[in-house]
Amino acid sequence: MYVKPKKKLGQHFLKDLSVAQKIAASIEYKEDGKKAVCIEIGPGTGVLTQFVLQNQNLDLSVIEIDEESVEYLVANFPDLYKNEKIIGGDFLQLDLKKEFPNGFPVVCGNFPYNISSQIFFKVLDYKDEVKEVVCMIQREVAQRIVNHEGTKEYGILSVFLQAYYNIEYLFTVDENVFNPPPKVKSAVIRLKRNNVEKLPCDEKFFRKIVKESFNLRRKMLRNSLAQYFSGKPDEEKFLTLRPEQLSVNDFIELTNILTVN
Ligand code: SAH
């Protein structure tokens, strides 16, 4: 049985088993006395799956949207199938609380690149459950996620993810280890949940401030956030900055200043 890669689903199957093995080996999370639930997003034909299954600390379920790939997985991973660990469907639409009532501390995968940002936003919705993410994504998106203030890649996703996760860039992956090769280089990153339960500010307003300032990335904050400033002295140092100059903590401080206005 052969699954023909479908472009619209972002299917680029890994050919190089050593890369798949290296990604699986990058998952470090473990729990005392029991296996930790791990979900793999977009297993395709299971190239990565086979190595994640070797990790005795994990209880793996896979979520795959492509029916043909699901058929392939059912045929080739009978134990996963028998235990109802192959879930056919769209990760972005799934009710994860219902699928995984006991939580899912680990998320992994060679993500479909066309929806990787949306996957991270969904992970953020479940940040209290998700303790570690190990994934391969487009290198450019990886740089956006790991880079800090003062770089041109720094953006909304960097701020949101860095607020709750410690993020490491693990390694770069070349185009030619995929079938078909993507147009871009790839990278594997690891995110580990930090100990921040709640940011010391109004989190909803924080998200609004971050989004609205980066939506007008080249503008100074006094323009992009004009409606929130009220002329108080403690606002002053932020007025002429641009969003990429603010660290997560600066955004928290700014949120608090603007909250009382
Ligand atoms: N892990 C495999 C395949 C990676 S390609 C490998 O490394 O070879 C990305 C995979 O994600 C494809 O199998 C694609 O069908 C699947 N996919 C795309 N969109 C998805 C979605 N919304 N939910 C779940 N899986 C999805």
Side-chain angles (χ1 to χ4, degrees):
M1 190 178 167
Y2 172 73
V3 179
K4 188 168 177 292
K6 300 167 194 70
K7 203 173 166 192
K8 71 172 198 313
L9 293 177
Q11 290 184 336
H12 296 277
F13 297 129
L14 253 177
K15 289 190 300 191
D16 186 333
L17 296 185
S18 69
V19 175
Q21 188 164 26
K22 210 168 148 192
I23 298 171
S26 302
I27 302 174
E28 294 186 336
Y29 188 82
K30 53 163 115 62
E31 287 177 6
D32 286 338
K34 68 170 165 59
K35 288 178 184 250
V37 173
C38 170
I39 61 183
E40 183 189 349
I41 303 170
T45 56
V47 179
L48 175 60
T49 314
Q50 60 186 321
F51 293 108
V52 180
L53 280 171
Q54 290 173 6
N55 183 333
Q56 298 302 317
N57 299 314
L58 303 175
D59 171 14
L60 180 68
S61 290
V62 302
I63 300 174
E64 172 57 60
I65 198 171
D66 175 32
E67 283 177 22
E68 207 184 344
S69 295
V70 169
E71 257 177 62
Y72 183 98
L73 293 164
V74 167
N76 289 278
F77 295 87
D79 284 347
L80 276 184
Y81 177 58
K82 210 169 58 206
N83 294 313
E84 298 179 17
K85 299 291 170 79
I86 301 177
I87 300 169
D90 180 347
F91 172 76
L92 298 177
Q93 301 297 332
L94 271 187
D95 180 347
L96 298 174
K97 283 242 154 65
K98 206 165 114 200
E99 288 298 334
F100 304 99
N102 301 318
F104 50 102
V106 185
V107 171
C108 70
N110 168 14
F111 288 175
Y113 295 177
N114 49 340
I115 57 162
S116 51
S117 297
Q118 292 167 72
I119 292 174
F120 283 113
F121 281 111
K122 183 147 180 170
V123 164
L124 281 165
D125 289 340
Y126 290 88
K127 64 183 187 312
D128 296 330
E129 318 248 357
V130 181
K131 309 295 182 202
E132 186 171 315
V133 181
V134 171
C135 62
M136 179 148 63
I137 49 180
Q138 193 177 324
R139 182 174 62 175
E140 192 197 321
V141 178
Q143 280 159 345
R144 255 198 270 150
I145 291 173
V146 301
N147 277 10
H148 291 273
E149 67 272 20
T151 62
K152 68 177 189 326
E153 292 90 2
Y154 185 67
I156 297 176
L157 211 48
S158 346
V159 177
F160 288 171
L161 287 170
Q162 288 170 22
Y164 302 103
Y165 289 91
N166 298 325
I167 307 174
E168 298 161 86
Y169 186 103
L170 298 181
F171 53 92
T172 305
V173 179
D174 209 67
E175 299 87 318
N176 63 27
V177 302
F178 297 91
N179 169 39
K183 290 203 179 67
V184 292
K185 292 228 183 298
S186 301
V188 176
I189 59 170
R190 178 169 55 214
L191 295 80
K192 288 184 181 178
R193 189 74 170 83
N194 63 21
N195 53 16
V196 173
E197 267 179 45
K198 197 192 151 313
L199 301 180
C201 66
D202 177 338
E203 289 188 309
K204 213 169 141 201
F205 193 39
F206 170 87
R207 287 196 291 273
K208 204 169 150 81
I209 294 288
V210 173
K211 276 194 192 150
E212 289 186 16
S213 56
F214 277 108
N215 282 343
L216 295 170
R217 194 186 173 93
R218 266 173 265 280
K219 297 261 196 264
M220 292 180 194
L221 299 177
R222 70 166 175 227
N223 296 316
S224 52
L225 301 176
Q227 57 166 317
Y228 305 111
F229 286 109
S230 67
K232 285 186 315 186
D234 56 356
E235 293 172 351
E236 209 151 296
K237 66 176 184 195
F238 289 106
L239 292 173
T240 56
L241 296 180
R242 293 182 172 82
E244 71 254 27
Q245 294 174 285
L246 273 65
S247 67
V248 172
N249 283 331
D250 292 333
F251 273 112
I252 292 172
E253 186 188 343
L254 177 63
T255 302
N256 283 326
I257 291 172
L258 299 182
T259 300
V260 292
N261 283 353

